[in-house]
Amino acid sequence: MIVTQVHQRDVVDVLLAQHEEIKALFSRVAAAQGDRKREQFYDLVRLLAVHESAEEQLVHPAARKAIGEGNERIVDERLHEEAEAKRTLSDLYDLGVDHPEFNDRLTLLAENVVAHATNEEREEFPLLRSHVGPERLQRMASVFEAAEQAAPTRPHPSAGESATANIVFGPPLALFDKVRDALRKS
């Protein structure tokens, strides 16, 4: 009897898939016009906000623990990049897709977000896979997806990037964001 091992999706798989989706959304927003551009941008904002919030609650703390002392800079640099992206995304959201500077600022944000994702993929994700067991990484995928359900759908740069800040401020901000989302759609 031949036994084949089926690879169950783990948190790194989820993150990699979302990175690809984020890259595709940047392209779709850049190519769209009018209401379609606005809708695509709102989709991008939502995905980036929930992705980063869940990463800050779960992935970065696990990576920090896994890599040990002396390598904290890897996580610290990712958190700094995320803080910058949140501020830029929030400013871009306030600016609106019809603003003459929107496309240039979107291009710069896309470059920074792709560089951030590349840094995670090269530095942080391999450390997770080498220091965290596969069963835990698979459980983390479920927890990550649950954290996304409770995450804000807009960037809130002033809330902070720590796991604690996301746990404390995330649910009330998420509720506020979801009410705004519902009003926008009505």
Side-chain angles (χ1 to χ4, degrees):
M1 177 168 73
I2 298 174
V3 177
T4 58
Q5 189 172 18
V6 176
H7 176 76
Q8 291 185 345
R9 203 164 85 134
D10 67 24
V11 71
V12 175
D13 296 328
V14 172
L15 293 165
L16 291 169
Q18 286 186 355
H19 285 178
E20 291 307 310
E21 187 177 351
I22 288 165
K23 292 172 191 174
L25 269 170
F26 270 116
S27 295
R28 289 197 300 267
V29 172
Q33 299 290 325
D35 288 341
R36 185 70 182 143
K37 183 179 201 92
R38 190 171 294 102
E39 290 169 15
Q40 293 286 322
F41 180 64
Y42 288 154
D43 289 346
L44 175 66
V45 168
R46 182 190 177 290
L47 179 57
L48 283 171
V50 299
H51 174 87
E52 296 304 338
S53 178
E55 271 190 340
E56 291 163 5
Q57 288 179 51
L58 180 69
V59 177
H60 297 316
R64 186 180 300 279
K65 185 177 178 182
I67 63 177
E69 290 186 35
N71 292 312
E72 297 92 353
R73 71 149 187 86
I74 292 171
V75 175
D76 292 342
E77 288 172 0
R78 298 305 73 79
L79 289 169
H80 176 74
E81 292 164 358
E82 288 171 7
E84 288 295 316
K86 279 184 192 178
R87 280 190 287 281
T88 304
L89 187 62
S90 181
D91 291 346
L92 201 55
Y93 184 86
D94 291 342
L95 195 66
V97 299
D98 297 322
H99 193 280
E101 294 179 22
F102 179 85
N103 288 334
D104 290 338
R105 290 186 184 189
L106 179 72
T107 299
L108 182 59
L109 176 64
E111 290 168 359
N112 291 336
V113 167
V114 169
H116 166 76
T118 300
N119 289 334
E120 285 180 334
E121 292 167 12
R122 278 195 216 147
E123 295 180 339
E124 198 169 358
F125 297 172
L127 286 168
L128 280 170
R129 283 228 167 108
S130 66
H131 290 87
V132 178
E135 297 83 17
R136 180 154 181 248
L137 289 173
Q138 291 165 5
R139 286 191 309 274
M140 285 175 66
S142 298
V143 175
F144 182 85
E145 290 167 343
E148 285 186 313
Q149 295 301 313
T153 60
R154 302 274 185 290
H156 296 278
S158 60
E161 286 75 44
S162 72
T164 303
N166 276 281
I167 291 168
V168 171
F169 299 116
L173 290 171
L175 180 60
F176 177 74
D177 288 348
K178 288 174 182 166
V179 168
R180 277 188 8 188
D181 292 345
L183 291 172
R184 180 178 56 85
K185 291 179 182 176
S186 62

